[in-house]
Amino acid sequence: MRYWIGLLLFLFAAPAIAQDEPALDARTILERATEAAGGADWLNPSTLQLSGHAVFYGSDSAEPRTRSDDYRMWRVFDPDRTASHNAQGKVRIRAGVGDGVMFEVGYDGETTWTQDGIMPREEADAYWASAFGFGIIRRALGEGFTLTRIPDGNSNGHVTYKIRVTDPGGAETIFGIDQQSHYIRTMEFATPRGWHMRVYDDFNTLTEPNWVQAQTVTLSYNGVVSNTVYWTETVVNAPIADRIFTYPPSPID
């Protein structure tokens, strides 16, 4: 009898407890994520340079296919960006191996190129549609964007809020926000290559400017890991010469 009375008291009390802790909406979650990532400094960077190393996998083996011991990215941001998965701003990514290069790809604001030459526009659009996505979260609190909270998730043992960001053109990106630290733990979206997911971990904090950088990023398509990047150096808002982004590829320091 005491068991059933206790159970009834718990069931009657549960709704009252839930009412005391209203569910956070997507905008509040994103505002907390923005503050945790660095606030205004993180929202409005001009440039970003990352360097480290990377491991690449094939789709038919658990063993690494190849490694880049000098993996770098240069980025110039477009402050007016509204499209989630299109090439905007400027970018160059270089995977070096020893004294050589495994691959590199760049976008100078108009033209996409690789180590093999200029990439045709249609091919370039498909390439960037499978790669660009994270930066839209910096614009998602602005007009024209729709934010929706969806069922929660889990990333490497960290319970996450999941929010869907829909840009003004209707493109969707799903982000997982750590419920404790409010760091951005995951990003997902549909691409020409299939369902793309990135998992972020091993966060490092800069103070001038305020910036939280994931030092480990694992990318997968349709549930199969493509590569993991280990960033060991982060530089924010330093000038980057235009030659870095133009074809033919210019030497790097």
Side-chain angles (χ1 to χ4, degrees), residues 75-248:
R75 188 84 169 89
V76 173
F77 294 97
D78 178 0
D80 300 318
R81 179 178 183 180
T82 58
S84 299
H85 309 301
N86 297 343
Q88 296 177 339
K90 299 178 181 180
V91 64
R92 179 177 175 180
I93 300 170
R94 183 182 189 275
V97 179
D99 295 330
V101 60
M102 181 191 309
F103 72 85
E104 58 185 321
V105 60
Y107 176 71
D108 63 8
E110 294 183 1
T111 302
T112 298
W113 53 267
T114 72
Q115 71 279 359
D116 298 323
I118 302 297
M119 187 181 293
R121 181 60 181 269
E122 184 175 342
E123 183 181 343
D125 288 346
Y127 176 85
W128 293 120
S130 298
F132 269 104
F134 182 87
I136 202 63
I137 197 170
R138 295 190 175 90
R139 309 272 71 88
L141 291 171
E143 294 184 4
F145 289 85
T146 301
L147 305 176
T148 307
R149 182 171 176 183
I150 63 176
D152 294 345
N154 188 298
S155 175
N156 290 339
H158 301 275
V159 180
T160 58
Y161 301 116
K162 301 289 283 290
I163 63 172
R164 180 189 297 116
V165 174
T166 306
D167 71 21
E172 298 180 348
T173 312
I174 295 173
F175 292 90
I177 312 299
D178 192 306
Q179 294 192 9
Q180 296 299 316
S181 67
H182 299 111
Y183 290 161
I184 301 167
R185 292 262 177 200
T186 61
M187 179 194 71
E188 305 171 63
F189 60 96
T191 82
R193 290 180 59 182
W195 189 256
H196 180 40
M197 182 174 186
R198 298 181 200 172
V199 177
Y200 303 93
D201 214 335
D202 189 21
F203 296 91
N204 183 43
T205 301
L206 283 64
T207 56
E208 293 184 6
N210 293 320
W211 187 276
V212 171
Q213 178 63 48
Q215 295 181 114
T216 303
V217 185
T218 297
L219 297 80
S220 63
Y221 292 89
N222 294 327
V224 179
V225 172
S226 170
N227 61 293
T228 298
V229 180
Y230 301 91
W231 298 123
T232 55
E233 184 176 357
T234 303
V235 179
V236 182
N237 292 340
I240 305 177
D242 283 342
R243 65 174 178 80
I244 290 294
F245 304 103
T246 57
Y247 186 84

Side-chain angles (χ1 to χ4, degrees), residues 5-136:
I5 292 174
L7 178 61
L8 289 172
L9 289 174
F10 172 80
L11 293 175
F12 282 121
I17 294 173
Q19 292 176 2
D20 290 338
E21 298 180 358
L24 297 177
D25 61 23
R27 186 174 187 86
T28 300
I29 293 169
L30 181 51
E31 288 172 343
R32 294 185 180 185
T34 297
E35 188 61 29
D41 289 345
W42 179 81
L43 273 179
N44 299 292
S46 57
T47 68
L48 175 64
Q49 299 175 68
L50 298 171
S51 59
H53 59 280
V55 179
F56 296 86
Y57 297 87
S59 60
D60 56 356
S61 173
E63 297 301 317
R65 183 186 65 194
T66 188
R67 302 174 187 269
S68 168
D69 54 19
D70 183 13
Y71 194 78
R72 306 192 194 189
M73 185 189 76
W74 298 261
R75 188 84 169 89
V76 173
F77 294 97
D78 178 0
D80 300 318
R81 179 178 183 180
T82 58
S84 299
H85 309 301
N86 297 343
Q88 296 177 339
K90 299 178 181 180
V91 64
R92 179 177 175 180
I93 300 170
R94 183 182 189 275
V97 179
D99 295 330
V101 60
M102 181 191 309
F103 72 85
E104 58 185 321
V105 60
Y107 176 71
D108 63 8
E110 294 183 1
T111 302
T112 298
W113 53 267
T114 72
Q115 71 279 359
D116 298 323
I118 302 297
M119 187 181 293
R121 181 60 181 269
E122 184 175 342
E123 183 181 343
D125 288 346
Y127 176 85
W128 293 120
S130 298
F132 269 104
F134 182 87
I136 202 63

